[in-house]
């Protein structure tokens, strides 16, 4: 019932989204296909006259910047499931990214204590590392999901800190020394490995393929019973429980799926870098991803993608640029903080909000109490 | 497991823990006050504290004091301490008000969703700490020896220094004063009213905006005092000092029951002491891991913290 009436409103609304919704199916299909192809051509953006040189990064190789964006986007998509769909505030999302990366490293790197027994190829380690992250999601979720709102936030934050402290302080996880020589993804082309050391373009494409698969998977979940349960939990947990939604079960689902996607990001990251240590997984990282999701528009995948791409792109773009004597790269996070404030003050619902959220905000704005 | 490290040093660990916990408790008050009224985590509170740690160093620098200068006499010590406290309080209070004005007020006008406030606060926190980092070249800055830690008295085999005693006493006095202010004064009644029901309070003639600004200011004042104590105890400060201690302070506020003033005191002291025990038992690198495990265990049995949330409800 609700879905049909809602669709009717947004289709008839103006703007790009309303126009897109009114097009017949084949037009929408073509538009989606063309944008996917354009995304795959992004590494060659510098060739585009006029606009191209403005877009590409100067201080860092452009394909590498694109790869960075791709795993940030993956993390944003995963966190969007937890925060945007299920409404669970997770401040320690980097923990899952770390579990994915460390899982891969432990199973494949020659520095690992397991190397004599495993010493696997990257591809073999992937399913095990991902299973490990999902288990980590369940372990974190099972005792903590009774907690509401901000209490959950501090516990998830603590979870990420504990993982980081483990990585720093135990000899098995090697702290700062980290794991070197993590193998790259497999595949040969003309007698040379596709995933080499110098060229980041194949990694970006791999990331893009994973992103597209994740989008399809999450979209289907969102439209299923699971997605409707998440929505009910987010809007009013007590009401959802009374109506027979098994809240704990679906919250665990959200955590496990979010963990899985975060783990994917970690596995890709380990495969591209070939080296990880405990310095990568600082708390600021999770907070940055959260800022990306909310800034883009939490609860909407297009928003999460945009937000995830921005949090990686803005600092990378500022690299190697100087104004007079000051190097802007030094100021990147300070400037970034300013950008976050400005975007959120101008658009509290996010850059591309979910339709439901946007309508809610319109209602809320009318209800402002006398100041 | 080796318990001798803990048992042999039980007394000293407890006293150090109490001093550390007193600083954490003062810091945690800012989180608790804002949460009690707005139901929001003020993520930028760590930078309110950070500004305090730098402000008193800068003003001591005006008097020609740096980390290598000799310790002043008793009169000089008191004078510098009071000046440092006043300046740090002003700096932290102004920062807190600025955060409220820039990151909270515009969103409140539009009745934005709670997550939006969290993100602007994160933005403000990032801006202040990173700017400090760039301006100080990410180096740490030493603190002049305003108060030389001297053993004051001994209980059993535990020596208590004058600095530890000062920190603990100051924290207790400030807590008592704040408690009286919230529960006894007219402005405090306004704060409690807004925390119980903001809209009703507004209809009854409480100026909501002013109450919210006041709450930020009070949190800033407490953070300023905590900042001076931190400087004197730790001896250095750095651009990320606020962020690192802020996690502890936030955890302490949650542990005691966020929104509850006495909870913040209890949570802070408990966290400080237990962190030191954990450091004695497992080694100092496990200090934070232990405190978070403790937090999770306590929240499992008391999901709203030890004393529950109650800035307005019960008489705090």
């Amino acid at each position: 019932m609700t879905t049909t009436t809602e669709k009717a409103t947004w289709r008839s609304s103006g703007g790009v989204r309303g126009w897109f919704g009114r097009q017949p199916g084949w037009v929408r299909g073509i538009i989606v296909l063309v944008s996917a192809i354009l995304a795959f051509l992004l590494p060659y953006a510098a060739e585009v006259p006029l606009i191209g040189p403005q877009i590409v990064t100067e201080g860092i190789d452009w394909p590498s910047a694109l790869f960075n964006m791709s795993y940030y986007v993956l993390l944003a998509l995963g966190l969007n499931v937890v925060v945007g769909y299920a409404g669970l505030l997770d401040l320690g999302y980097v923990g899952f990214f770390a579990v994915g990366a460390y899982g891969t490293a432990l199973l494949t790197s020659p520095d690992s204590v397991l190397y004599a027994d495993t010493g696997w190829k990257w591809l073999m380690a992937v399913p095990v590392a991902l299973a490990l992250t999902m288990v980590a999601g369940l372990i974190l979720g099972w005792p903590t999901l009774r907690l509401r709102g901000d209490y959950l936030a501090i516990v998830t934050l603590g979870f990420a800190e504990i993982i980081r402290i483990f990585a720093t302080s135990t000899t098995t996880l090697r702290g700062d020394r980290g794991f070197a020589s993590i193998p790259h993804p497999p595949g040969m082309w003309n007698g040379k490995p596709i995933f080499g050391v110098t060229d980041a373009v194949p990694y970006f494409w791999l990331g893009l393929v994973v992103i597209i698969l994740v989008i399809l998977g999450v979209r289907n979940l969102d439209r299923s019973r699971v997605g409707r349960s998440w929505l009910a939990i987010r809007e009013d947990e007590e009401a959802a429980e009374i109506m027979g939604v098994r809240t704990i079960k679906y919250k665990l689902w959200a955590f496990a799926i979010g963990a899985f996607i975060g783990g994917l990001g970690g596995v890709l990251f380990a495969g591209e870098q070939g080296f990880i240590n405990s310095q990568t997984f600082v708390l600021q990282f999770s907070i940055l991803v959260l800022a990306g999701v909310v800034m883009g528009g939490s609860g909407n995948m297009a928003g999460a993608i945009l937000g995830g791409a921005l949090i990686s792109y803005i600092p990378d773009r500022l690299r190697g640029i100087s104004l007079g004597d000051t190097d802007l790269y030094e100021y990147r996070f300070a400037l970034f903080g300013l950008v976050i404030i400005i975007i959120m003050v101008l658009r509290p619902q996010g850059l591309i909000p979910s339709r439901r959220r946007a309508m809610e905000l319109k209602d809320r704005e009318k209800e402002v109490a006398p100041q | 497991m080796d318990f001798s490290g803990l048992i042999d040093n039980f007394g000293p660990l407890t006293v150090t823990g109490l001093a550390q916990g007193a600083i954490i408790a003062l810091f945690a008050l800012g989180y608790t006050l804002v949460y009690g009224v707005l139901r929001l985590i003020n993520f930028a509170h760590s930078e309110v504290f950070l500004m305090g740690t730098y402000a008193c160093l800068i003003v001591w620098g005006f008097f020609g004091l740096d980390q290598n200068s000799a310790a002043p006499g008793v009169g000089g010590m008191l004078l510098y301490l009071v000046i440092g406290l006043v300046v740090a309080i002003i700096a932290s209070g102004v920062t807190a008000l600025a955060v409220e004005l820039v990151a909270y007020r515009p969103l409140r006008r539009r009745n934005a969703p709670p997550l939006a406030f969290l993100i602007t606060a994160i933005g403000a926190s990032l801006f202040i700490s990173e700017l400090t980092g760039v301006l100080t070249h990410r180096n740490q800055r030493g603190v002049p020896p305003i108060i030389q830690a001297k053993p004051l008295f001994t209980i059993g085999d535990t020596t208590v220094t004058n600095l530890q005693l000062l920190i603990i006493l100051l924290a207790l006095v400030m807590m008592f004063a704040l408690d009286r202010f919230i529960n006894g004064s007219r402005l405090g009644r306004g704060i409690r009213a807004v925390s119980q029901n903001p809209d009703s309070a507004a209809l009854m003639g409480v100026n909501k905006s002013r109450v919210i600004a006041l709450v930020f200011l009070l949190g800033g004042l407490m953070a300023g005092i905590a900042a001076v104590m931190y400087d004197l105890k730790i001896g250095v400060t750095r651009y990320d000092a606020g962020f690192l201690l802020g996690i502890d302070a936030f955890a302490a506020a949650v542990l005691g029951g966020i929104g509850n003033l006495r909870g913040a005191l209890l949570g802070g002291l408990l966290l400080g002491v237990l962190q030191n025990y954990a450091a004695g038992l497992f080694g100092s690198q496990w200090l934070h891991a232990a405190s978070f495990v403790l937090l999770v265990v306590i929240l499992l049995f008391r999901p709203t913290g030890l004393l529950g949330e109650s800035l307005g409800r019960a008489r705090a």
Side-chain angles (χ1 to χ4, degrees), chain A residues 174-220:
Chain A
R174 298 178 59 85
D176 281 356
R177 285 170 301 156
F179 293 91
S181 322
I182 299 167
H184 297 296
M188 300 293 270
W189 181 263
N190 286 342
K192 275 185 290 182
I194 301 176
F195 296 97
V197 183
T198 46
D199 189 10
V201 175
Y203 293 99
F204 169 64
W205 283 338
L206 179 66
L208 212 54
V209 170
V210 174
I211 288 172
I212 290 172
L213 292 177
V214 165
I215 291 174
L216 290 176
V218 172
R219 200 175 73 129
N220 278 335

Short mmCIF file of all heavy atoms in Angstrom, two decimals, chain A residues 174-220:
data_model
loop_
_atom_site.label_atom_id
_atom_site.label_comp_id
_atom_site.label_asym_id
_atom_site.label_seq_id
_atom_site.Cartn_x
_atom_site.Cartn_y
_atom_site.Cartn_z
N ARG A 174 51.61 -8.55 14.28
CA ARG A 174 52.82 -7.85 13.85
C ARG A 174 52.82 -6.33 13.94
O ARG A 174 53.77 -5.70 13.50
CB ARG A 174 53.19 -8.26 12.42
CG ARG A 174 53.51 -9.74 12.31
CD ARG A 174 53.83 -10.14 10.89
NE ARG A 174 54.97 -9.41 10.36
CZ ARG A 174 56.24 -9.77 10.53
NH1 ARG A 174 56.51 -10.83 11.24
NH2 ARG A 174 57.21 -9.07 9.99
N GLY A 175 51.81 -5.71 14.52
CA GLY A 175 51.84 -4.27 14.77
C GLY A 175 52.28 -3.42 13.59
O GLY A 175 51.80 -3.59 12.48
N ASP A 176 53.24 -2.51 13.86
CA ASP A 176 53.70 -1.59 12.83
C ASP A 176 54.45 -2.28 11.69
O ASP A 176 54.48 -1.79 10.58
CB ASP A 176 54.67 -0.56 13.45
CG ASP A 176 53.91 0.51 14.19
OD1 ASP A 176 52.67 0.46 14.13
OD2 ASP A 176 54.55 1.37 14.80
N ARG A 177 55.12 -3.39 12.00
CA ARG A 177 55.90 -4.05 10.95
C ARG A 177 54.99 -4.57 9.85
O ARG A 177 55.35 -4.55 8.68
CB ARG A 177 56.71 -5.20 11.55
CG ARG A 177 57.90 -4.72 12.35
CD ARG A 177 58.50 -5.89 13.10
NE ARG A 177 57.51 -6.49 14.00
CZ ARG A 177 57.56 -7.74 14.42
NH1 ARG A 177 58.51 -8.54 14.01
NH2 ARG A 177 56.64 -8.21 15.25
N GLY A 178 53.81 -5.03 10.24
CA GLY A 178 52.81 -5.41 9.27
C GLY A 178 53.16 -6.65 8.46
O GLY A 178 54.13 -7.34 8.74
N PHE A 179 52.30 -6.91 7.50
CA PHE A 179 52.47 -8.06 6.61
C PHE A 179 52.86 -7.57 5.23
O PHE A 179 52.16 -6.74 4.65
CB PHE A 179 51.16 -8.84 6.50
CG PHE A 179 50.75 -9.51 7.77
CD1 PHE A 179 49.92 -8.85 8.67
CD2 PHE A 179 51.18 -10.78 8.08
CE1 PHE A 179 49.54 -9.46 9.86
CE2 PHE A 179 50.80 -11.39 9.26
CZ PHE A 179 49.98 -10.73 10.15
N ALA A 180 53.97 -8.09 4.70
CA ALA A 180 54.38 -7.71 3.35
C ALA A 180 54.09 -8.85 2.38
O ALA A 180 53.70 -9.94 2.80
CB ALA A 180 55.86 -7.37 3.34
N SER A 181 54.28 -8.57 1.10
CA SER A 181 54.13 -9.57 0.02
C SER A 181 52.81 -10.31 0.06
O SER A 181 52.78 -11.51 -0.13
CB SER A 181 55.25 -10.61 0.04
OG SER A 181 56.46 -10.06 0.38
N ILE A 182 51.73 -9.59 0.32
CA ILE A 182 50.42 -10.22 0.16
C ILE A 182 50.19 -10.36 -1.35
O ILE A 182 50.39 -9.39 -2.09
CB ILE A 182 49.31 -9.34 0.78
CG1 ILE A 182 49.57 -9.17 2.28
CG2 ILE A 182 47.94 -9.95 0.55
CD1 ILE A 182 48.75 -8.09 2.91
N PRO A 183 49.85 -11.57 -1.83
CA PRO A 183 49.74 -11.74 -3.29
C PRO A 183 48.63 -10.90 -3.89
O PRO A 183 47.64 -10.56 -3.24
CB PRO A 183 49.46 -13.23 -3.43
CG PRO A 183 48.97 -13.68 -2.11
CD PRO A 183 49.59 -12.80 -1.10
N HIS A 184 48.82 -10.53 -5.17
CA HIS A 184 47.80 -9.79 -5.91
C HIS A 184 46.76 -10.75 -6.45
O HIS A 184 46.98 -11.96 -6.48
CB HIS A 184 48.45 -9.03 -7.05
CG HIS A 184 49.43 -8.00 -6.59
ND1 HIS A 184 49.04 -6.92 -5.84
CD2 HIS A 184 50.77 -7.89 -6.75
CE1 HIS A 184 50.10 -6.19 -5.56
NE2 HIS A 184 51.17 -6.76 -6.10
N PRO A 185 45.61 -10.23 -6.91
CA PRO A 185 44.61 -11.10 -7.54
C PRO A 185 45.20 -11.82 -8.75
O PRO A 185 46.16 -11.34 -9.36
CB PRO A 185 43.52 -10.12 -7.96
CG PRO A 185 43.68 -8.96 -7.05
CD PRO A 185 45.13 -8.86 -6.77
N PRO A 186 44.65 -13.01 -9.09
CA PRO A 186 45.23 -13.80 -10.18
C PRO A 186 44.84 -13.28 -11.56
O PRO A 186 44.07 -12.34 -11.68
CB PRO A 186 44.63 -15.19 -9.93
CG PRO A 186 43.30 -14.88 -9.35
CD PRO A 186 43.46 -13.64 -8.53
N GLY A 187 45.34 -13.92 -12.59
CA GLY A 187 44.95 -13.60 -13.97
C GLY A 187 46.14 -13.20 -14.80
O GLY A 187 47.02 -12.48 -14.36
N MET A 188 46.20 -13.72 -16.06
CA MET A 188 47.29 -13.39 -16.98
C MET A 188 46.69 -12.80 -18.25
O MET A 188 45.58 -13.13 -18.65
CB MET A 188 48.09 -14.64 -17.35
CG MET A 188 48.74 -15.34 -16.18
SD MET A 188 50.05 -14.38 -15.42
CE MET A 188 51.44 -14.94 -16.39
N TRP A 189 47.41 -11.90 -18.90
CA TRP A 189 46.97 -11.33 -20.16
C TRP A 189 48.21 -11.14 -21.03
O TRP A 189 49.13 -10.45 -20.61
CB TRP A 189 46.26 -9.99 -19.92
CG TRP A 189 45.76 -9.35 -21.17
CD1 TRP A 189 46.37 -8.37 -21.89
CD2 TRP A 189 44.55 -9.64 -21.85
NE1 TRP A 189 45.61 -8.03 -22.97
CE2 TRP A 189 44.48 -8.80 -22.98
CE3 TRP A 189 43.49 -10.55 -21.61
CZ2 TRP A 189 43.41 -8.81 -23.88
CZ3 TRP A 189 42.43 -10.56 -22.50
CH2 TRP A 189 42.40 -9.70 -23.62
N ASN A 190 48.26 -11.80 -22.16
CA ASN A 190 49.43 -11.72 -23.04
C ASN A 190 50.72 -12.09 -22.30
O ASN A 190 51.75 -11.47 -22.47
CB ASN A 190 49.59 -10.32 -23.63
CG ASN A 190 48.56 -10.07 -24.72
OD1 ASN A 190 47.97 -11.02 -25.24
ND2 ASN A 190 48.36 -8.81 -25.05
N GLY A 191 50.61 -13.09 -21.44
CA GLY A 191 51.80 -13.56 -20.76
C GLY A 191 52.24 -12.71 -19.58
O GLY A 191 53.23 -13.00 -18.93
N LYS A 192 51.51 -11.60 -19.33
CA LYS A 192 51.87 -10.77 -18.17
C LYS A 192 50.71 -10.80 -17.17
O LYS A 192 49.56 -10.91 -17.57
CB LYS A 192 52.11 -9.31 -18.60
CG LYS A 192 53.53 -9.06 -19.10
CD LYS A 192 53.77 -7.59 -19.39
CE LYS A 192 53.00 -7.13 -20.60
NZ LYS A 192 53.24 -5.75 -20.97
N PRO A 193 51.00 -10.71 -15.86
CA PRO A 193 49.88 -10.69 -14.91
C PRO A 193 49.05 -9.41 -15.09
O PRO A 193 49.58 -8.33 -15.34
CB PRO A 193 50.58 -10.72 -13.54
CG PRO A 193 51.98 -10.31 -13.79
CD PRO A 193 52.31 -10.70 -15.20
N ILE A 194 47.73 -9.58 -14.99
CA ILE A 194 46.84 -8.41 -15.14
C ILE A 194 47.02 -7.46 -13.98
O ILE A 194 47.12 -6.25 -14.13
CB ILE A 194 45.37 -8.88 -15.19
CG1 ILE A 194 45.15 -9.83 -16.36
CG2 ILE A 194 44.44 -7.67 -15.31
CD1 ILE A 194 43.75 -10.40 -16.41
N PHE A 195 47.08 -8.04 -12.76
CA PHE A 195 47.15 -7.19 -11.57
C PHE A 195 48.60 -7.03 -11.14
O PHE A 195 49.12 -7.81 -10.36
CB PHE A 195 46.31 -7.79 -10.44
CG PHE A 195 44.85 -7.84 -10.78
CD1 PHE A 195 44.28 -8.99 -11.29
CD2 PHE A 195 44.06 -6.71 -10.61
CE1 PHE A 195 42.93 -9.02 -11.61
CE2 PHE A 195 42.71 -6.74 -10.92
CZ PHE A 195 42.15 -7.89 -11.44
N GLY A 196 49.26 -6.05 -11.71
CA GLY A 196 50.68 -5.85 -11.43
C GLY A 196 50.88 -4.89 -10.28
O GLY A 196 50.00 -4.65 -9.47
N VAL A 197 52.08 -4.32 -10.24
CA VAL A 197 52.42 -3.42 -9.15
C VAL A 197 52.21 -1.97 -9.56
O VAL A 197 51.77 -1.14 -8.77
CB VAL A 197 53.90 -3.63 -8.72
CG1 VAL A 197 54.24 -2.75 -7.53
CG2 VAL A 197 54.15 -5.09 -8.42
N THR A 198 52.51 -1.66 -10.84
CA THR A 198 52.54 -0.26 -11.23
C THR A 198 51.17 0.27 -11.67
O THR A 198 50.82 1.41 -11.36
CB THR A 198 53.53 -0.05 -12.38
OG1 THR A 198 53.30 -1.08 -13.34
CG2 THR A 198 54.94 -0.11 -11.86
N ASP A 199 50.42 -0.55 -12.39
CA ASP A 199 49.20 -0.04 -13.00
C ASP A 199 48.00 -0.32 -12.12
O ASP A 199 47.68 -1.48 -11.84
CB ASP A 199 49.01 -0.71 -14.37
CG ASP A 199 47.89 -0.05 -15.14
OD1 ASP A 199 47.42 1.01 -14.68
OD2 ASP A 199 47.49 -0.59 -16.18
N ALA A 200 47.30 0.74 -11.66
CA ALA A 200 46.17 0.55 -10.75
C ALA A 200 44.84 0.39 -11.48
O ALA A 200 43.83 0.11 -10.86
CB ALA A 200 46.08 1.70 -9.76
N VAL A 201 44.85 0.57 -12.83
CA VAL A 201 43.58 0.54 -13.57
C VAL A 201 42.84 -0.79 -13.38
O VAL A 201 41.64 -0.77 -13.09
CB VAL A 201 43.81 0.85 -15.06
CG1 VAL A 201 42.52 0.71 -15.83
CG2 VAL A 201 44.38 2.24 -15.22
N PRO A 202 43.51 -1.96 -13.53
CA PRO A 202 42.74 -3.21 -13.35
C PRO A 202 42.13 -3.33 -11.97
O PRO A 202 41.03 -3.86 -11.82
CB PRO A 202 43.80 -4.30 -13.55
CG PRO A 202 44.91 -3.65 -14.27
CD PRO A 202 44.90 -2.21 -13.89
N TYR A 203 42.84 -2.83 -10.96
CA TYR A 203 42.28 -2.88 -9.60
C TYR A 203 41.01 -2.05 -9.50
O TYR A 203 40.04 -2.43 -8.87
CB TYR A 203 43.30 -2.38 -8.57
CG TYR A 203 44.50 -3.26 -8.44
CD1 TYR A 203 45.68 -2.95 -9.08
CD2 TYR A 203 44.44 -4.41 -7.67
CE1 TYR A 203 46.79 -3.77 -8.96
CE2 TYR A 203 45.54 -5.24 -7.55
CZ TYR A 203 46.71 -4.91 -8.19
OH TYR A 203 47.79 -5.71 -8.08
N PHE A 204 41.05 -0.88 -10.16
CA PHE A 204 39.85 -0.03 -10.14
C PHE A 204 38.69 -0.76 -10.81
O PHE A 204 37.58 -0.76 -10.31
CB PHE A 204 40.14 1.29 -10.85
CG PHE A 204 38.91 2.11 -11.12
CD1 PHE A 204 38.16 2.62 -10.07
CD2 PHE A 204 38.48 2.34 -12.41
CE1 PHE A 204 37.01 3.35 -10.31
CE2 PHE A 204 37.34 3.08 -12.66
CZ PHE A 204 36.61 3.58 -11.61
N TRP A 205 38.99 -1.41 -11.95
CA TRP A 205 37.90 -2.13 -12.63
C TRP A 205 37.38 -3.26 -11.77
O TRP A 205 36.16 -3.47 -11.69
CB TRP A 205 38.42 -2.67 -13.98
CG TRP A 205 38.49 -1.60 -15.02
CD1 TRP A 205 37.82 -0.41 -15.02
CD2 TRP A 205 39.32 -1.59 -16.19
NE1 TRP A 205 38.17 0.33 -16.11
CE2 TRP A 205 39.08 -0.36 -16.86
CE3 TRP A 205 40.23 -2.49 -16.75
CZ2 TRP A 205 39.71 -0.02 -18.05
CZ3 TRP A 205 40.85 -2.16 -17.94
CH2 TRP A 205 40.60 -0.93 -18.58
N LEU A 206 38.29 -3.97 -11.11
CA LEU A 206 37.86 -5.04 -10.22
C LEU A 206 36.96 -4.47 -9.12
O LEU A 206 35.88 -5.01 -8.83
CB LEU A 206 39.08 -5.72 -9.60
CG LEU A 206 38.78 -6.86 -8.61
CD1 LEU A 206 38.14 -8.02 -9.33
CD2 LEU A 206 40.06 -7.31 -7.90
N GLY A 207 37.41 -3.35 -8.54
CA GLY A 207 36.60 -2.70 -7.51
C GLY A 207 35.23 -2.33 -8.03
O GLY A 207 34.21 -2.52 -7.37
N LEU A 208 35.20 -1.82 -9.27
CA LEU A 208 33.94 -1.38 -9.87
C LEU A 208 32.99 -2.57 -10.05
O LEU A 208 31.79 -2.47 -9.77
CB LEU A 208 34.23 -0.72 -11.22
CG LEU A 208 33.31 0.39 -11.65
CD1 LEU A 208 33.21 1.45 -10.58
CD2 LEU A 208 33.82 0.99 -12.94
N VAL A 209 33.55 -3.70 -10.52
CA VAL A 209 32.71 -4.90 -10.69
C VAL A 209 32.11 -5.30 -9.34
O VAL A 209 30.92 -5.57 -9.22
CB VAL A 209 33.55 -6.05 -11.29
CG1 VAL A 209 32.75 -7.35 -11.25
CG2 VAL A 209 33.94 -5.73 -12.72
N VAL A 210 32.97 -5.31 -8.30
CA VAL A 210 32.48 -5.69 -6.97
C VAL A 210 31.40 -4.71 -6.52
O VAL A 210 30.37 -5.11 -5.98
CB VAL A 210 33.65 -5.73 -5.97
CG1 VAL A 210 33.14 -5.97 -4.57
CG2 VAL A 210 34.63 -6.81 -6.36
N ILE A 211 31.63 -3.41 -6.77
CA ILE A 211 30.64 -2.41 -6.36
C ILE A 211 29.30 -2.68 -7.03
O ILE A 211 28.25 -2.64 -6.39
CB ILE A 211 31.13 -0.99 -6.72
CG1 ILE A 211 32.28 -0.58 -5.79
CG2 ILE A 211 30.00 0.03 -6.60
CD1 ILE A 211 32.94 0.69 -6.19
N ILE A 212 29.34 -2.98 -8.35
CA ILE A 212 28.08 -3.20 -9.07
C ILE A 212 27.37 -4.42 -8.51
O ILE A 212 26.15 -4.40 -8.28
CB ILE A 212 28.36 -3.35 -10.59
CG1 ILE A 212 28.79 -1.99 -11.13
CG2 ILE A 212 27.13 -3.86 -11.31
CD1 ILE A 212 29.28 -2.02 -12.55
N LEU A 213 28.12 -5.50 -8.23
CA LEU A 213 27.50 -6.69 -7.64
C LEU A 213 26.88 -6.36 -6.29
O LEU A 213 25.76 -6.79 -5.98
CB LEU A 213 28.54 -7.81 -7.48
CG LEU A 213 29.06 -8.41 -8.79
CD1 LEU A 213 30.12 -9.45 -8.51
CD2 LEU A 213 27.90 -9.02 -9.57
N VAL A 214 27.62 -5.57 -5.49
CA VAL A 214 27.09 -5.21 -4.16
C VAL A 214 25.81 -4.39 -4.30
O VAL A 214 24.83 -4.61 -3.59
CB VAL A 214 28.16 -4.44 -3.35
CG1 VAL A 214 27.54 -3.75 -2.16
CG2 VAL A 214 29.25 -5.39 -2.91
N ILE A 215 25.82 -3.44 -5.26
CA ILE A 215 24.62 -2.61 -5.45
C ILE A 215 23.42 -3.50 -5.79
O ILE A 215 22.34 -3.36 -5.21
CB ILE A 215 24.84 -1.59 -6.59
CG1 ILE A 215 25.86 -0.54 -6.15
CG2 ILE A 215 23.53 -0.91 -6.96
CD1 ILE A 215 26.24 0.40 -7.25
N LEU A 216 23.64 -4.45 -6.73
CA LEU A 216 22.53 -5.32 -7.12
C LEU A 216 22.04 -6.13 -5.92
O LEU A 216 20.83 -6.24 -5.67
CB LEU A 216 22.97 -6.26 -8.24
CG LEU A 216 23.22 -5.58 -9.59
CD1 LEU A 216 23.74 -6.58 -10.60
CD2 LEU A 216 21.93 -4.94 -10.09
N GLY A 217 23.00 -6.70 -5.16
CA GLY A 217 22.62 -7.52 -4.02
C GLY A 217 21.85 -6.72 -2.98
O GLY A 217 20.79 -7.13 -2.52
N VAL A 218 22.39 -5.54 -2.62
CA VAL A 218 21.76 -4.75 -1.57
C VAL A 218 20.40 -4.24 -2.03
O VAL A 218 19.44 -4.18 -1.26
CB VAL A 218 22.68 -3.58 -1.16
CG1 VAL A 218 21.97 -2.64 -0.22
CG2 VAL A 218 23.93 -4.11 -0.49
N ARG A 219 20.29 -3.90 -3.33
CA ARG A 219 19.02 -3.41 -3.83
C ARG A 219 17.94 -4.47 -3.69
O ARG A 219 16.81 -4.20 -3.28
CB ARG A 219 19.17 -2.98 -5.29
CG ARG A 219 18.10 -2.04 -5.76
CD ARG A 219 18.40 -1.58 -7.16
NE ARG A 219 18.14 -2.66 -8.09
CZ ARG A 219 17.39 -2.51 -9.18
NH1 ARG A 219 16.84 -1.34 -9.44
NH2 ARG A 219 17.20 -3.51 -10.00
N ASN A 220 18.31 -5.70 -4.04
CA ASN A 220 17.33 -6.78 -3.92
C ASN A 220 16.95 -7.03 -2.46
O ASN A 220 15.79 -7.25 -2.15
CB ASN A 220 17.88 -8.07 -4.55
CG ASN A 220 17.70 -8.05 -6.04
OD1 ASN A 220 16.80 -7.36 -6.54
ND2 ASN A 220 18.55 -8.75 -6.75
#
